[in-house]
Amino acid sequence: MQISFHGAAGQVTGSCHLFEHDGQRILIDCGLFQGSHDAAEDNAGAFGFDASEIDVLLLTHAHLDHCGRIPLLIRRGFRGEIIATAATRELARIVMLDSANIQEEDAKRQARYQRRRGQPPLPRLYGIPDALRALDAFGRVARLDEPIDLGGDIRATFIEAGHILGSASIVIEAGSGPDARRIVFSGDLGNGGRPVLPDPAPPPEADYVVIESTYGDREHRSFDESRTEIVEAIRKIHSRGGNAIIPSFALERTQEILFVLSEAVRHEELPRNLAVFLDSPMAISATEIFGRYPDAFQPQFRDTMAARDPFGLEGLRFTRGADESMAINQIPSGAVIIAGSGMCTGGRVVHHLKRNLWREDCGIILVGYAAEGTLARRLVDGAQSVKIYGQTVAVKAEIFTINGFSAHADQAELLAWHAHTGRPKQTFIVHGDPDRGMSHLQKALEAKGLATRCPKMHESIHLD
């Protein structure tokens, strides 16, 4: 019985872990690397295992850094079964197809550059046909708290993670009798006490734990404080005649922000005709999917859904087409523009930043995690100017950082979740900045007398 780590090891993105027992090879997530200067090289590199030998892929949730390399896995020979919750399956479809479209567009652009240099085109990572084949590989639908037989003496149970719609932690039980072992994979754990999604479910006692550490070094502000902050930030920006730009992740974060704005308008904290643009085709599709899973939400939010559209705003406009997106740039003031990507690594938000960052009357409201090397992190760290599409843009807009909207658990919540696992033989800490979340969470767990390890990329570890 062994486990190896092929992503999110010593870094935040690219989650991918391989569990092996009795001839069975089970992959947990297969995500895209994002943010770092080496991300493109890492994504195109070797997995660290033979894709054709993987029997089953268990997908914790549909974020790109957990599912974004699945089409490449298919391209390199994976012919096994993908198991996920029903909502994850739907969301992964739009995420992987969007990613494949970006890969194809990037490949075309790079091909033009290569031709000008008199060099052959570089191979693309994957394309839309690969993403479609990946969708065909989805098999059984995981239902929360119901064990799934993976063959031999291995079972997997998905439990609520509270991170995004459909997200789950995964409990694997392998072996029988005195040789039986239980391994818990946290996936990404949600930030509790929020109005839309339920809190993460407590895990069972385990022999081994693989835990994320995105915010293992800090505690979040309360949701109510963050709600007040974003409303006040929009008021402030609009009072001086600017636009508010909100880089936001398409899944969960965008819907939560829309709900907050809708409630603020309903309670007359913001003007009734507030002009809000959801400039993200993926986020628009995800918002529509949310309506199909009322049982996945907090009871009070379900009641709201039954009474009215919780994301409805009088001044809300969905902009799917590129022409509609470009038209937003003609609005000089009073607009709230929600667009991806959340870390400003690409997507339509980058164009809006280019046109608004240099304006002192505008404001940028950052509501999510910003990995090292991303444009969002440079803004958080106080950059005076940034490069966007090869041009230097002065940062004159006010930067607001609001962390209570994070979809990730903070250190206190991570420790509380981990406490339910008892005293595992080993806790593997992944999905975090080595000098921040990862190292701080490790110290906090070791202070409780627990054995921990921060695995290196492609490290393989025997489980006793």
Side-chain angles (χ1 to χ4, degrees):
M1 192 178 296
Q2 67 179 30
I3 185 170
S4 51
F5 300 87
H6 304 285
Q11 57 188 302
V12 181
T13 60
S15 287
C16 186
H17 316 305
L18 176 60
F19 175 74
E20 299 176 73
H21 171 64
D22 201 21
Q24 287 281 90
R25 296 166 64 84
I26 298 162
L27 203 62
I28 296 88
D29 291 340
C30 190
L32 208 65
F33 296 97
Q34 298 174 285
S36 72
H37 298 300
D38 299 327
E41 184 178 331
D42 290 341
N43 285 323
F47 282 114
F49 53 83
D50 186 339
S52 66
E53 293 183 356
I54 301 300
D55 298 293
V56 178
L57 168 59
L58 306 177
L59 181 58
T60 62
H61 65 287
H63 272 152
L64 192 62
D65 63 327
H66 290 256
C67 73
R69 286 181 97 197
I70 293 177
L72 183 62
L73 190 75
I74 296 289
R75 193 173 195 177
R76 293 184 178 173
F78 173 72
R79 295 296 179 266
E81 178 187 21
I82 302 174
I83 300 175
T85 65
T88 292
R89 187 177 180 139
E90 281 206 67
L91 293 172
R93 175 186 177 84
I94 61 174
V95 169
M96 290 192 296
L97 286 173
D98 180 75
S99 177
N101 183 62
I102 291 171
Q103 302 298 334
E104 292 191 348
E105 291 300 315
D106 285 349
K108 290 177 186 176
R109 186 166 52 252
Q110 288 297 328
R112 290 195 296 269
Y113 295 154
Q114 292 295 98
R115 282 198 300 270
R116 290 170 193 159
R117 299 187 184 104
Q119 297 175 349
L122 299 172
R124 71 184 181 196
L125 193 63
Y126 56 79
I128 290 175
D130 303 300
L132 292 173
R133 282 194 292 273
L135 297 174
D136 289 339
F138 278 80
R140 286 170 288 178
V141 174
R143 294 176 175 81
L144 296 182
D145 305 317
E146 294 185 11
I148 297 173
D149 184 1
L150 301 183
D153 55 3
I154 306 175
R155 298 156 302 285
T157 304
F158 288 59
I159 63 174
E160 178 65 62
H163 176 59
I164 66 170
L165 179 65
S167 63
S169 300
I170 296 175
V171 181
I172 290 182
E173 296 172 290
S176 58
D179 296 325
R181 297 289 182 268
R182 180 183 286 155
I183 305 96
V184 176
F185 294 83
S186 71
D188 286 356
L189 294 171
N191 179 12
R194 294 177 300 153
V196 178
L197 293 177
D199 293 351
E205 290 189 0
D207 298 288
Y208 297 94
V209 176
V210 179
I211 188 171
E212 67 121 323
S213 59
T214 312
Y215 285 111
D217 62 335
R218 70 194 80 173
E219 293 188 10
H220 297 315
R221 295 187 188 96
S222 72
F223 182 86
D224 288 341
E225 288 175 309
S226 297
R227 178 194 178 281
T228 299
E229 280 185 84
I230 196 170
V231 170
E232 290 180 350
I234 292 171
R235 280 176 174 168
K236 185 177 182 181
I237 295 163
H238 284 190
S239 70
R240 59 190 184 219
N243 293 321
I245 314 299
I246 306 178
S248 186
F249 299 101
L251 312 184
E252 191 277 330
R253 193 72 42 82
T254 289
Q255 292 75 31
E256 197 163 65
I257 296 298
L258 286 176
F259 178 61
V260 165
L261 297 183
S262 176
E263 290 294 288
V265 168
R266 199 166 70 88
H267 291 100
E268 300 182 347
E269 298 169 273
L270 290 171
R272 186 175 186 82
N273 62 346
L274 181 70
V276 179
F277 295 88
L278 179 52
D279 190 25
S280 167
M282 188 195 302
I284 294 168
S285 297
T287 302
E288 293 168 350
I289 289 172
F290 265 57
R292 297 202 279 273
Y293 293 93
D295 292 342
F297 304 113
Q298 294 276 24
Q300 187 173 351
F301 187 77
R302 288 202 298 270
D303 293 342
T304 300
M305 291 180 76
R308 61 181 182 278
D309 180 359
F311 310 124
L313 286 158
E314 186 176 298
L316 176 62
R317 296 169 179 81
F318 289 161
T319 52
R320 287 187 183 272
D323 290 344
E324 295 173 297
S325 177
M326 288 187 284
I328 299 172
N329 294 318
Q330 306 306 313
I331 301 173
S333 65
V336 176
I337 304 166
I338 305 171
S341 70
M343 294 193 228
C344 309
T345 53
R348 293 181 178 181
V349 76
V350 180
H351 295 277
H352 296 304
L353 291 174
K354 183 179 178 182
R355 288 165 175 78
N356 291 277
L357 260 179
W358 54 272
R359 296 177 51 191
E360 294 183 354
D361 54 354
C362 290
I364 315 301
I365 304 174
L366 298 168
V367 294
Y369 183 78
E372 291 289 346
T374 63
L375 176 54
R377 172 53 69 87
R378 291 195 287 278
L379 296 177
V380 169
D381 290 343
Q384 298 300 301
S385 65
V386 294
K387 281 284 187 73
I388 298 180
Y389 298 127
Q391 297 181 21
T392 300
V393 179
V395 180
K396 299 293 185 181
E398 186 172 359
I399 309 298
F400 300 84
T401 303
I402 304 175
N403 73 9
F405 288 109
S406 174
H408 285 272
D410 63 17
Q411 187 191 74
E413 292 170 312
L414 290 169
L415 292 173
W417 182 90
H418 187 280
H420 290 283
T421 66
R423 300 191 66 81
K425 296 180 179 182
Q426 188 88 58
T427 294
F428 303 104
I429 303 172
V430 298
H431 201 293
D433 185 316
D435 300 322
R436 297 184 183 188
M438 195 170 285
S439 61
H440 284 74
L441 183 62
Q442 183 175 34
K443 289 175 184 176
L445 288 170
E446 289 181 347
K448 298 176 180 293
L450 297 168
T452 68
R453 185 166 181 165
C454 297
K456 297 179 173 60
M457 274 290 287
H458 304 308
E459 183 176 4
S460 182
I461 300 164
H462 177 75
L463 305 181
D464 296 329

